[in-house]
Protein backbone atom coordinates (compact mmCIF):
# COMPACT_ATOMS: atom_id res chain seq x y z
CA UNK A 1 0.00 0.00 0.00
CA UNK A 2 1.34 3.43 -0.97
CA UNK A 3 -0.94 5.69 1.02
CA UNK A 4 -4.13 5.68 3.06
CA UNK A 5 -6.50 8.44 4.24
CA UNK A 6 -9.66 8.56 6.31
CA UNK A 7 -12.76 10.68 5.63
CA UNK A 8 -16.25 11.12 6.98
CA UNK A 9 -18.63 10.77 4.06
CA UNK A 10 -20.78 13.90 3.55
CA UNK A 11 -23.09 12.60 0.84
CA UNK A 12 -25.95 11.93 3.29
CA UNK A 13 -26.56 12.30 7.05
CA UNK A 14 -25.41 8.77 7.92
CA UNK A 15 -21.79 9.93 7.90
CA UNK A 16 -19.97 6.67 7.10
CA UNK A 17 -16.29 6.59 8.08
CA UNK A 18 -14.38 5.89 4.91
CA UNK A 19 -10.88 4.51 4.60
CA UNK A 20 -9.37 5.09 1.17
CA UNK A 21 -6.11 3.48 0.18
CA UNK A 22 -4.01 3.30 -2.94
CA UNK A 23 -2.01 0.19 -3.76
CA UNK A 24 1.37 0.27 -5.49
CA UNK A 25 -0.23 -0.60 -8.82
CA UNK A 26 -2.31 2.60 -8.49
CA UNK A 27 -5.59 0.91 -7.67
CA UNK A 28 -7.75 2.91 -5.23
CA UNK A 29 -9.88 1.03 -2.72
CA UNK A 30 -12.65 2.65 -0.65
CA UNK A 31 -13.79 0.85 2.49
CA UNK A 32 -16.43 1.71 5.10
CA UNK A 33 -18.96 3.09 2.60
CA UNK A 34 -22.49 1.69 2.55
CA UNK A 35 -23.52 2.98 -0.88
CA UNK A 36 -22.15 3.68 -4.37
CA UNK A 37 -22.24 7.45 -3.91
CA UNK A 38 -20.05 7.01 -0.84
CA UNK A 39 -17.48 5.10 -2.87
CA UNK A 40 -17.37 7.89 -5.44
CA UNK A 41 -17.09 10.54 -2.73
CA UNK A 42 -14.21 8.72 -1.03
CA UNK A 43 -12.38 8.34 -4.30
CA UNK A 44 -12.81 12.02 -5.24
CA UNK A 45 -11.70 13.23 -1.83
CA UNK A 46 -8.61 11.04 -2.07
CA UNK A 47 -7.59 11.89 -5.62
CA UNK A 48 -8.52 15.55 -6.01
CA UNK A 49 -11.06 17.09 -3.61
CA UNK A 50 -13.24 19.71 -5.33
CA UNK A 51 -14.87 22.74 -3.71
CA UNK A 52 -17.15 25.58 -4.77
CA UNK A 53 -15.79 28.96 -3.67
CA UNK A 54 -18.23 31.75 -2.79
CA UNK A 55 -17.35 35.30 -1.77
CA UNK A 56 -18.28 38.94 -2.31
CA UNK A 57 -16.40 41.53 -4.36
CA UNK A 58 -16.51 45.33 -4.34
CA UNK A 59 -18.80 47.19 -6.72
CA UNK A 60 -18.12 50.72 -7.96
CA UNK A 61 -21.18 52.95 -8.31
CA UNK A 62 -23.73 50.36 -7.22
CA UNK A 63 -26.76 50.65 -4.95
CA UNK A 64 -24.96 48.10 -2.74
CA UNK A 65 -21.25 48.09 -1.84
CA UNK A 66 -20.70 44.40 -2.65
CA UNK A 67 -21.88 41.76 -5.08
CA UNK A 68 -21.88 38.10 -4.07
CA UNK A 69 -20.03 35.74 -6.42
CA UNK A 70 -19.30 32.03 -6.87
CA UNK A 71 -17.16 29.74 -8.95
CA UNK A 72 -19.50 28.40 -11.62
CA UNK A 73 -18.22 24.86 -11.17
CA UNK A 74 -15.98 23.55 -8.46
CA UNK A 75 -12.23 24.06 -8.27
CA UNK A 76 -9.52 21.86 -6.88
CA UNK A 77 -9.15 22.41 -3.12
CA UNK A 78 -5.46 23.17 -3.62
CA UNK A 79 -6.42 26.10 -5.91
CA UNK A 80 -8.59 27.87 -3.30
CA UNK A 81 -5.88 30.25 -1.97
CA UNK A 82 -5.17 31.44 -5.52
CA UNK A 83 -8.87 31.92 -6.22
CA UNK A 84 -9.22 33.96 -3.02
CA UNK A 85 -6.24 36.13 -4.02
CA UNK A 86 -7.83 36.86 -7.38
CA UNK A 87 -11.12 37.77 -5.68
CA UNK A 88 -9.38 40.10 -3.26
CA UNK A 89 -7.95 42.19 -6.10
CA UNK A 90 -11.24 42.24 -7.98
CA UNK A 91 -13.49 45.30 -8.35
CA UNK A 92 -16.41 45.59 -10.75
CA UNK A 93 -18.63 48.42 -11.98
CA UNK A 94 -22.42 48.54 -11.58
CA UNK A 95 -24.75 47.38 -12.94
CA UNK A 96 -24.12 43.67 -12.29
CA UNK A 97 -26.58 40.87 -13.08
CA UNK A 98 -26.91 37.32 -11.82
CA UNK A 99 -24.67 35.11 -13.97
CA UNK A 100 -22.35 37.91 -15.23
CA UNK A 101 -18.78 36.60 -15.55
CA UNK A 102 -16.66 38.49 -13.01
CA UNK A 103 -13.35 36.62 -13.49
CA UNK A 104 -12.98 34.24 -16.46
CA UNK A 105 -10.91 31.09 -15.89
CA UNK A 106 -10.05 32.08 -12.36
CA UNK A 107 -6.54 31.14 -11.16
CA UNK A 108 -5.85 29.25 -14.38
CA UNK A 109 -8.72 26.81 -13.83
CA UNK A 110 -11.42 26.10 -16.40
CA UNK A 111 -14.15 27.64 -14.23
CA UNK A 112 -15.43 31.22 -14.19
CA UNK A 113 -16.33 33.36 -11.21
CA UNK A 114 -19.88 34.65 -11.76
CA UNK A 115 -22.16 37.09 -9.92
CA UNK A 116 -24.93 35.55 -7.85
CA UNK A 117 -27.09 38.64 -7.43
CA UNK A 118 -28.11 41.87 -9.15
CA UNK A 119 -26.61 45.21 -8.17
CA UNK A 120 -28.18 48.24 -9.79
CA UNK A 121 -26.47 51.52 -10.70
CA UNK A 122 -26.76 54.07 -7.94
CA UNK B 1 -52.10 53.02 -0.18
CA UNK B 2 -55.17 50.83 -0.61
CA UNK B 3 -56.81 49.51 2.52
CA UNK B 4 -58.63 46.36 1.38
CA UNK B 5 -56.66 43.32 0.19
CA UNK B 6 -57.37 39.69 -0.49
CA UNK B 7 -54.07 38.51 0.98
CA UNK B 8 -51.56 40.37 3.11
CA UNK B 9 -48.20 38.58 3.37
CA UNK B 10 -46.05 39.71 6.30
CA UNK B 11 -42.41 39.20 5.32
CA UNK B 12 -40.72 39.12 1.90
CA UNK B 13 -38.23 36.30 2.46
CA UNK B 14 -38.40 32.83 0.91
CA UNK B 15 -41.61 31.96 2.79
CA UNK B 16 -43.46 35.17 1.95
CA UNK B 17 -42.44 35.13 -1.72
CA UNK B 18 -43.46 31.49 -2.26
CA UNK B 19 -46.73 31.97 -0.37
CA UNK B 20 -47.69 35.04 -2.43
CA UNK B 21 -46.90 33.22 -5.69
CA UNK B 22 -48.93 30.19 -4.59
CA UNK B 23 -51.95 32.42 -3.81
CA UNK B 24 -51.73 33.92 -7.27
CA UNK B 25 -51.37 30.54 -9.00
CA UNK B 26 -54.41 29.30 -7.13
CA UNK B 27 -56.51 32.12 -8.58
CA UNK B 28 -56.24 35.16 -6.33
CA UNK B 29 -55.80 38.25 -8.57
CA UNK B 30 -52.18 39.35 -8.30
CA UNK B 31 -53.05 43.00 -7.72
CA UNK B 32 -55.02 41.95 -4.62
CA UNK B 33 -51.95 40.43 -2.96
CA UNK B 34 -49.50 42.60 -1.01
CA UNK B 35 -46.13 41.64 0.51
CA UNK B 36 -44.87 43.81 3.38
CA UNK B 37 -41.08 43.63 3.94
CA UNK B 38 -39.08 45.60 6.50
CA UNK B 39 -35.70 45.31 4.72
CA UNK B 40 -34.69 47.49 1.76
CA UNK B 41 -35.07 44.53 -0.59
CA UNK B 42 -36.89 41.21 -0.96
CA UNK B 43 -35.23 37.85 -0.32
CA UNK B 44 -34.84 37.91 3.44
CA UNK B 45 -31.87 36.23 5.05
CA UNK B 46 -30.99 34.41 1.79
CA UNK B 47 -29.37 37.61 0.51
CA UNK B 48 -26.58 37.30 3.06
CA UNK B 49 -26.20 33.51 2.72
CA UNK B 50 -23.81 33.74 -0.23
CA UNK B 51 -22.55 30.15 0.18
CA UNK B 52 -23.98 27.41 -2.04
CA UNK B 53 -26.12 24.39 -1.23
CA UNK B 54 -29.65 25.80 -1.56
CA UNK B 55 -32.29 24.37 -3.84
CA UNK B 56 -31.11 20.78 -4.28
CA UNK B 57 -34.60 19.43 -3.58
CA UNK B 58 -36.62 22.08 -5.41
CA UNK B 59 -34.42 22.84 -8.42
CA UNK B 60 -32.04 19.86 -8.49
CA UNK B 61 -29.00 22.11 -8.35
CA UNK B 62 -26.94 23.76 -5.67
CA UNK B 63 -27.61 27.48 -5.72
CA UNK B 64 -26.28 30.24 -3.50
CA UNK B 65 -28.76 32.05 -1.24
CA UNK B 66 -29.07 35.15 -3.45
CA UNK B 67 -29.55 32.99 -6.58
CA UNK B 68 -32.29 30.97 -4.88
CA UNK B 69 -34.02 34.16 -3.73
CA UNK B 70 -33.73 35.76 -7.16
CA UNK B 71 -35.70 32.94 -8.82
CA UNK B 72 -38.69 33.85 -6.63
CA UNK B 73 -38.10 37.61 -6.72
CA UNK B 74 -38.07 37.56 -10.54
CA UNK B 75 -41.42 35.77 -10.61
CA UNK B 76 -42.94 38.18 -8.09
CA UNK B 77 -41.59 41.25 -9.90
CA UNK B 78 -42.81 39.96 -13.26
CA UNK B 79 -46.30 39.71 -11.73
CA UNK B 80 -48.67 42.38 -10.46
CA UNK B 81 -48.21 41.31 -6.84
CA UNK B 82 -47.68 44.49 -4.82
CA UNK B 83 -44.43 44.68 -2.80
CA UNK B 84 -43.80 47.24 -0.10
CA UNK B 85 -40.18 47.19 1.08
CA UNK B 86 -38.79 49.32 3.94
CA UNK B 87 -42.17 48.73 5.54
CA UNK B 88 -42.52 47.64 9.16
CA UNK B 89 -45.58 45.82 10.43
CA UNK B 90 -46.41 47.01 13.93
CA UNK B 91 -49.52 45.06 14.76
CA UNK B 92 -51.80 42.31 13.50
CA UNK B 93 -55.28 41.93 14.98
CA UNK B 94 -57.49 38.88 15.18
CA UNK B 95 -59.89 40.77 12.89
CA UNK B 96 -57.25 40.39 10.14
CA UNK B 97 -56.14 44.00 10.25
CA UNK B 98 -52.49 44.87 9.77
CA UNK B 99 -50.96 48.09 11.09
CA UNK B 100 -47.80 49.01 9.17
CA UNK B 101 -45.60 52.06 8.65
CA UNK B 102 -43.10 53.31 6.08
CA UNK B 103 -41.60 56.65 5.07
CA UNK B 104 -43.70 56.92 1.90
CA UNK B 105 -47.21 56.04 3.04
CA UNK B 106 -46.89 56.84 6.74
CA UNK B 107 -49.04 54.82 9.10
CA UNK B 108 -51.37 52.39 7.34
CA UNK B 109 -54.14 50.14 8.57
CA UNK B 110 -54.72 47.38 6.02
CA UNK B 111 -57.40 44.76 6.07
CA UNK B 112 -57.01 41.32 4.49
CA UNK B 113 -59.42 38.48 3.75
CA UNK B 114 -56.46 36.27 4.65
CA UNK B 115 -53.10 37.02 6.28
CA UNK B 116 -49.98 34.92 5.83
CA UNK B 117 -47.37 35.19 8.55
CA UNK B 118 -43.86 34.78 7.10
CA UNK B 119 -41.67 36.81 9.45
CA UNK B 120 -38.89 34.24 9.74
CA UNK B 121 -36.70 33.87 12.80
CA UNK B 122 -33.89 35.64 14.56
CA UNK B 123 -30.78 34.58 16.39
CA UNK B 124 -30.37 33.92 20.08
CA UNK B 125 -28.00 36.52 21.53
CA UNK B 126 -25.58 36.80 24.41
CA UNK B 127 -28.49 37.95 26.57
CA UNK B 128 -30.28 34.65 25.99
CA UNK B 129 -27.22 32.74 27.23
CA UNK B 130 -26.26 34.96 30.17
CA UNK B 131 -22.51 34.66 29.57
CA UNK B 132 -20.77 36.40 32.51
CA UNK B 133 -18.08 39.04 32.04
CA UNK B 134 -17.72 42.58 30.75
CA UNK B 135 -19.73 44.07 27.89
CA UNK B 136 -17.11 45.04 25.31
CA UNK B 137 -17.52 45.51 21.54
CA UNK B 138 -16.73 42.41 19.50
CA UNK B 139 -19.53 40.06 20.54
CA UNK B 140 -21.67 39.29 17.48
CA UNK B 141 -24.25 36.76 16.47
CA UNK B 142 -22.97 34.70 13.53
CA UNK B 143 -25.72 36.02 11.24
CA UNK B 144 -24.89 39.64 12.09
CA UNK B 145 -21.23 38.98 11.21
CA UNK B 146 -22.43 37.27 8.03
CA UNK B 147 -24.32 40.36 6.91
CA UNK B 148 -21.36 42.64 7.75
CA UNK B 149 -18.85 40.53 5.80
CA UNK B 150 -20.97 39.45 2.84
CA UNK B 151 -23.14 42.51 2.20
CA UNK B 152 -21.71 45.56 3.93
CA UNK B 153 -17.98 44.86 3.48
CA UNK B 154 -16.81 45.02 7.09
CA UNK B 155 -14.73 42.47 8.99
CA UNK B 156 -15.94 41.94 12.55
CA UNK B 157 -12.45 41.09 13.86
CA UNK B 158 -9.12 39.37 13.34
CA UNK B 159 -8.87 36.66 16.00
CA UNK B 160 -12.12 34.87 16.46
CA UNK B 161 -13.71 32.30 18.77
CA UNK B 162 -17.08 30.85 17.77
CA UNK B 163 -19.54 29.46 20.31
CA UNK B 164 -21.98 26.97 18.82
CA UNK B 165 -21.51 24.64 15.86
CA UNK B 166 -24.78 25.30 14.06
CA UNK B 167 -24.51 25.70 10.31
CA UNK B 168 -24.26 29.51 10.34
CA UNK B 169 -21.34 29.33 12.79
CA UNK B 170 -19.55 26.75 10.64
CA UNK B 171 -20.16 28.70 7.43
CA UNK B 172 -18.83 31.86 9.07
CA UNK B 173 -15.72 30.05 10.33
CA UNK B 174 -14.78 29.36 6.71
CA UNK B 175 -15.89 32.74 5.42
CA UNK B 176 -13.83 34.67 7.98
CA UNK B 177 -10.79 32.45 7.39
CA UNK B 178 -11.06 33.07 3.65
CA UNK B 179 -11.17 36.81 4.34
CA UNK B 180 -7.95 36.62 6.33
CA UNK B 181 -9.10 36.27 9.93
CA UNK B 182 -7.79 33.62 12.32
CA UNK B 183 -10.61 31.46 13.65
CA UNK B 184 -9.02 29.91 16.71
CA UNK B 185 -11.69 27.56 17.89
CA UNK B 186 -15.31 26.48 17.69
CA UNK B 187 -16.88 25.42 21.02
CA UNK B 188 -19.98 23.22 21.10
CA UNK B 189 -21.86 22.63 24.35
CA UNK B 190 -23.32 19.32 23.20
CA UNK B 191 -21.36 16.13 22.42
CA UNK B 192 -22.49 16.45 18.78
CA UNK B 193 -22.93 19.25 16.25
CA UNK B 194 -26.32 20.42 15.03
CA UNK B 195 -24.61 21.40 11.77
CA UNK B 196 -24.36 19.29 8.63
CA UNK B 197 -21.40 16.91 8.35
CA UNK B 198 -20.59 18.53 5.04
CA UNK B 199 -20.09 21.86 6.79
CA UNK B 200 -17.90 20.31 9.50
CA UNK B 201 -15.68 18.84 6.77
CA UNK B 202 -15.65 21.71 4.28
CA UNK B 203 -15.70 24.63 6.71
CA UNK B 204 -13.67 23.41 9.69
CA UNK B 205 -11.50 20.45 8.65
CA UNK B 206 -10.53 22.01 5.30
CA UNK B 207 -9.24 25.05 7.19
CA UNK B 208 -7.73 23.23 10.20
CA UNK B 209 -10.11 24.89 12.66
CA UNK B 210 -10.47 22.87 15.90
CA UNK B 211 -13.97 21.92 17.12
CA UNK B 212 -14.29 21.15 20.83
CA UNK B 213 -17.40 19.28 21.88
CA UNK B 214 -18.81 19.63 25.41
CA UNK B 215 -17.14 23.02 25.76
CA UNK B 216 -18.65 26.45 26.39
CA UNK B 217 -17.62 30.06 27.00
CA UNK B 218 -17.85 30.91 30.71
CA UNK B 219 -16.48 34.47 30.68
CA UNK B 220 -15.92 37.35 28.27
CA UNK B 221 -12.92 39.62 29.00
CA UNK B 222 -12.01 43.13 27.82
CA UNK B 223 -13.11 46.69 28.53
CA UNK B 224 -13.87 48.51 25.29
CA UNK B 225 -13.07 45.58 22.98
CA UNK B 226 -13.05 41.81 23.57
CA UNK B 227 -9.56 40.76 24.71
CA UNK B 228 -10.26 37.10 25.31
CA UNK B 229 -12.70 34.48 26.53
CA UNK B 230 -12.49 31.76 29.15
CA UNK B 231 -13.72 28.42 27.92
CA UNK B 232 -14.41 25.27 29.93
CA UNK B 233 -15.40 21.65 29.46
CA UNK B 234 -18.89 20.83 30.73
CA UNK B 235 -20.05 17.78 32.67
CA UNK B 236 -23.02 15.52 31.91
CA UNK B 237 -25.43 18.17 33.23
CA UNK B 238 -23.85 20.77 30.90
CA UNK B 239 -22.27 22.56 33.90
CA UNK B 240 -18.74 23.98 33.43
CA UNK B 241 -15.97 22.06 35.23
CA UNK B 242 -13.77 24.69 37.05
CA UNK B 243 -10.54 22.69 36.76
CA UNK B 244 -10.81 22.86 32.94
CA UNK B 245 -10.98 26.69 32.61
CA UNK B 246 -8.76 27.93 29.81
CA UNK B 247 -8.11 31.51 28.67
CA UNK B 248 -8.12 32.10 24.91
CA UNK B 249 -6.97 35.52 23.69
CA UNK B 250 -9.20 36.85 20.87
CA UNK B 251 -10.81 40.11 19.73
CA UNK B 252 -14.16 38.69 18.61
CA UNK B 253 -16.70 36.19 19.87
CA UNK B 254 -19.33 34.90 17.44
CA UNK B 255 -22.47 33.25 18.75
CA UNK B 256 -24.17 30.56 16.70
CA UNK B 257 -26.45 29.26 19.39
CA UNK B 258 -29.83 28.77 17.84
CA UNK B 259 -32.69 30.54 16.12
CA UNK B 260 -36.03 31.67 17.51
CA UNK B 261 -39.15 32.22 15.40
CA UNK B 262 -40.03 35.91 15.48
CA UNK B 263 -43.57 35.82 16.83
CA UNK B 264 -44.24 39.03 18.75
CA UNK B 265 -46.90 40.00 16.18
CA UNK B 266 -48.44 36.52 16.27
CA UNK B 267 -48.71 36.43 20.05
CA UNK B 268 -50.15 39.95 20.20
CA UNK B 269 -52.85 38.83 17.76
CA UNK B 270 -53.95 36.27 20.34
CA UNK B 271 -52.95 33.31 18.17
CA UNK B 272 -52.42 30.05 20.05
CA UNK B 273 -48.70 29.21 20.31
CA UNK B 274 -46.74 25.97 20.63
CA UNK B 275 -44.09 26.11 23.37
CA UNK B 276 -42.06 23.40 21.60
CA UNK B 277 -41.68 25.10 18.20
CA UNK B 278 -42.06 28.68 19.54
CA UNK B 279 -44.38 29.14 16.57
CA UNK B 280 -48.14 29.13 16.08
CA UNK B 281 -50.25 25.99 16.42
CA UNK B 282 -51.45 25.09 12.93
CA UNK B 283 -53.45 22.49 11.04
CA UNK B 284 -52.09 20.73 7.95
CA UNK B 285 -53.05 23.75 5.80
CA UNK B 286 -50.90 25.94 8.10
CA UNK B 287 -53.98 27.78 9.37
CA UNK B 288 -53.55 29.20 12.87
CA UNK B 289 -56.07 29.19 15.70
CA UNK B 290 -57.44 32.50 14.37
CA UNK B 291 -59.44 31.85 11.21
CA UNK B 292 -57.96 33.22 7.99
CA UNK B 293 -54.48 33.68 9.42
CA UNK B 294 -51.83 31.27 8.11
CA UNK B 295 -48.16 30.81 9.04
CA UNK B 296 -45.23 29.27 7.15
CA UNK B 297 -41.45 29.09 7.09
CA UNK B 298 -39.15 29.82 9.99
CA UNK B 299 -41.77 31.84 11.86
CA UNK B 300 -43.69 28.58 12.27
CA UNK B 301 -40.73 26.34 13.11
CA UNK B 302 -37.03 26.65 12.30
CA UNK B 303 -36.22 24.70 9.13
CA UNK B 304 -32.83 23.38 8.07
CA UNK B 305 -33.50 23.61 4.34
CA UNK B 306 -34.96 26.58 2.50
CA UNK B 307 -36.51 24.12 0.03
CA UNK B 308 -38.79 22.98 2.84
CA UNK B 309 -39.63 26.60 3.66
CA UNK B 310 -40.71 27.22 0.07
CA UNK B 311 -42.80 24.06 0.00
CA UNK B 312 -44.48 24.84 3.30
CA UNK B 313 -45.19 28.38 2.10
CA UNK B 314 -46.82 26.95 -1.00
CA UNK B 315 -49.11 24.85 1.21
CA UNK B 316 -50.05 27.95 3.21
CA UNK B 317 -50.55 30.06 0.08
CA UNK B 318 -52.85 27.51 -1.55
CA UNK B 319 -54.83 27.15 1.66
CA UNK B 320 -55.19 30.91 2.06
CA UNK B 321 -56.48 31.19 -1.52
CA UNK B 322 -58.95 28.33 -0.97
CA UNK B 323 -60.08 29.92 2.26
CA UNK B 324 -60.93 33.15 0.47
CA UNK B 325 -62.53 31.62 -2.62
CA UNK B 326 -64.50 28.85 -0.96
CA UNK B 327 -65.12 30.71 2.25
CA UNK B 328 -64.10 27.53 4.03
CA UNK B 329 -64.95 27.41 7.71
CA UNK B 330 -62.95 25.37 10.20
CA UNK B 331 -64.27 21.81 10.42
CA UNK B 332 -65.78 20.46 13.60
CA UNK B 333 -63.59 17.39 14.01
CA UNK B 334 -59.89 17.81 14.51
CA UNK B 335 -57.26 15.25 15.42
CA UNK B 336 -54.54 16.47 17.71
CA UNK B 337 -50.96 15.32 16.96
CA UNK B 338 -48.94 14.56 20.10
CA UNK B 339 -45.27 13.76 20.37
CA UNK B 340 -44.41 10.48 22.01
CA UNK B 341 -40.98 9.31 23.12
CA UNK B 342 -38.00 10.42 21.06
CA UNK B 343 -39.85 13.27 19.32
CA UNK B 344 -39.39 16.93 20.28
CA UNK B 345 -42.10 18.44 18.07
CA UNK B 346 -44.44 17.90 15.15
CA UNK B 347 -45.96 20.27 12.59
CA UNK B 348 -48.90 20.36 12.08
CA UNK B 349 -50.10 20.13 15.66
CA UNK B 350 -53.64 19.29 14.58
CA UNK B 351 -55.23 17.69 11.54
CA UNK B 352 -58.62 18.32 9.97
CA UNK B 353 -59.37 14.93 8.37
CA UNK B 354 -60.22 15.26 4.69
CA UNK B 355 -59.65 13.63 1.29
CA UNK B 356 -55.95 14.37 1.13
CA UNK B 357 -52.91 12.66 2.61
CA UNK B 358 -51.22 14.62 5.38
CA UNK B 359 -47.49 15.29 5.64
CA UNK B 360 -46.26 15.41 9.22
CA UNK B 361 -42.90 17.06 9.89
CA UNK B 362 -41.00 16.29 13.05
CA UNK B 363 -37.70 16.51 14.84
CA UNK B 364 -36.26 13.78 17.00
CA UNK B 365 -34.90 14.26 20.49
CA UNK B 366 -31.39 12.83 20.13
CA UNK B 367 -29.70 10.67 17.52
CA UNK B 368 -31.28 7.29 16.56
CA UNK B 369 -29.23 4.94 14.40
CA UNK B 370 -31.14 3.03 13.05
CA UNK B 371 -34.55 4.51 13.84
CA UNK B 372 -38.17 3.35 13.78
CA UNK B 373 -40.93 5.94 13.60
CA UNK B 374 -44.43 4.93 14.68
CA UNK B 375 -47.75 6.78 14.46
CA UNK B 376 -50.43 5.43 16.77
CA UNK B 377 -54.04 6.20 17.59
CA UNK B 378 -54.54 4.70 21.02
CA UNK B 379 -53.34 1.09 20.74
CA UNK B 380 -53.75 1.01 16.99
CA UNK B 381 -50.62 1.47 14.86
CA UNK B 382 -51.42 3.60 11.82
CA UNK B 383 -48.00 3.68 10.25
CA UNK B 384 -44.43 2.56 10.81
CA UNK B 385 -41.32 3.76 9.00
CA UNK B 386 -37.71 2.64 9.37
CA UNK B 387 -34.68 4.74 8.54
CA UNK B 388 -30.94 4.17 8.85
CA UNK B 389 -30.52 7.36 10.88
CA UNK B 390 -32.61 10.18 12.37
CA UNK B 391 -30.95 13.17 14.03
CA UNK B 392 -32.30 16.39 15.59
CA UNK B 393 -30.46 18.37 12.89
CA UNK B 394 -32.53 16.90 10.05
CA UNK B 395 -36.26 17.47 9.91
CA UNK B 396 -38.14 14.24 9.11
CA UNK B 397 -41.25 14.01 6.99
CA UNK B 398 -43.81 11.22 7.12
CA UNK B 399 -46.96 11.04 5.00
CA UNK B 400 -50.13 9.79 6.65
CA UNK B 401 -52.60 8.52 4.03
CA UNK B 402 -56.06 10.10 4.20
CA UNK B 403 -57.83 6.76 4.74
CA UNK B 404 -55.80 6.14 7.90
CA UNK B 405 -57.26 9.30 9.36
CA UNK B 406 -60.89 8.27 9.00
CA UNK B 407 -62.66 7.33 12.24
CA UNK B 408 -59.85 8.65 14.43
CA UNK B 409 -61.17 10.36 17.51
CA UNK B 410 -59.08 12.78 19.47
CA UNK B 411 -55.38 12.09 19.27
CA UNK B 412 -52.57 10.46 17.33
CA UNK B 413 -49.07 10.03 18.76
CA UNK B 414 -45.80 10.14 16.83
CA UNK B 415 -42.79 8.44 18.43
CA UNK B 416 -39.29 7.39 17.40
CA UNK B 417 -37.23 4.63 18.98
CA UNK B 418 -33.81 3.21 18.20
CA UNK B 419 -33.59 -0.09 16.35
Amino acid sequence: MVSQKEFVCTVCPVGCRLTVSQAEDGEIVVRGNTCKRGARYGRDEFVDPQRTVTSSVWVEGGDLPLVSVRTQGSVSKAKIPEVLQALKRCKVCAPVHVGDVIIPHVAGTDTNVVATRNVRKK
Amino acid sequence: MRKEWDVIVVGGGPAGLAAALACSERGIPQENIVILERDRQLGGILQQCIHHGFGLHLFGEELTGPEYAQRFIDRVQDSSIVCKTDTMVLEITNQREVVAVNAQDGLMVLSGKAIILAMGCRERTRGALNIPGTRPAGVYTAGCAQRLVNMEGYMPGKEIVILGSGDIGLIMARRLTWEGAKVKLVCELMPYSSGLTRNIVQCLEDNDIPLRFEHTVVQIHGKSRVEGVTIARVDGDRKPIPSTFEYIPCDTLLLSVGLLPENELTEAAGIQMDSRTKGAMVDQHRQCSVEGIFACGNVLHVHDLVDNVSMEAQTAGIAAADYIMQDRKPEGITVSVQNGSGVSYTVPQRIVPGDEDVDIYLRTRGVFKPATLTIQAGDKTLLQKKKSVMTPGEMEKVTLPAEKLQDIAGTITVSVIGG
Side-chain angles (χ1 to χ4, degrees), chain B residues 126 131 134 136-141 220 225-226 251-255:
Chain B
R126 177 182 180 182
I131 306 172
T134 50
V139 182
Y140 297 86
T141 60
I220 296 171
R225 178 78 201 189
V226 173
D251 58 28
T252 303
L253 174 66
L254 290 198
L255 302 173

Side-chain angles (χ1 to χ4, degrees), chain A residues 51 55-56 66 70 77 117, chain B residues 41 62 67 150 153 206:
Chain A
R51 299 287 185 264
S55 186
S56 293
L66 295 166
R70 69 179 295 174
K77 197 169 117 181
R117 67 163 300 152
Chain B
Q41 60 187 345
E62 293 193 82
E67 289 171 315
N150 292 346
D206 274 8

Side-chain angles (χ1 to χ4, degrees), chain B residues 9-86:
Chain B
V9 181
V10 184
L17 293 168
L21 288 165
C23 284
S24 136
E25 276 164 20
R26 195 71 166 181
I28 302 293
Q30 289 173 345
E31 58 281 5
N32 292 348
I33 304 169
V34 63
I35 300 174
L36 306 175
E37 166 57 46
R38 69 180 167 191
D39 204 348
R40 62 192 173 202
Q41 60 187 345
L42 297 171
I45 216 71
L46 283 171
Q47 297 286 13
Q48 67 181 54
C49 299
I50 64 165
H51 56 281
H52 81 300
F54 303 91
L56 203 53
H57 294 269
L58 220 55
F59 298 113
E61 53 184 312
E62 293 193 82
L63 303 169
T64 64
E67 289 171 315
Y68 186 99
Q70 199 61 44
R71 296 209 171 180
F72 290 87
I73 295 170
D74 284 346
R75 286 172 59 201
V76 166
Q77 287 179 341
D78 288 345
S79 77
S80 315
I81 294 170
V82 180
C83 296
K84 285 272 169 189
T85 52
D86 279 318

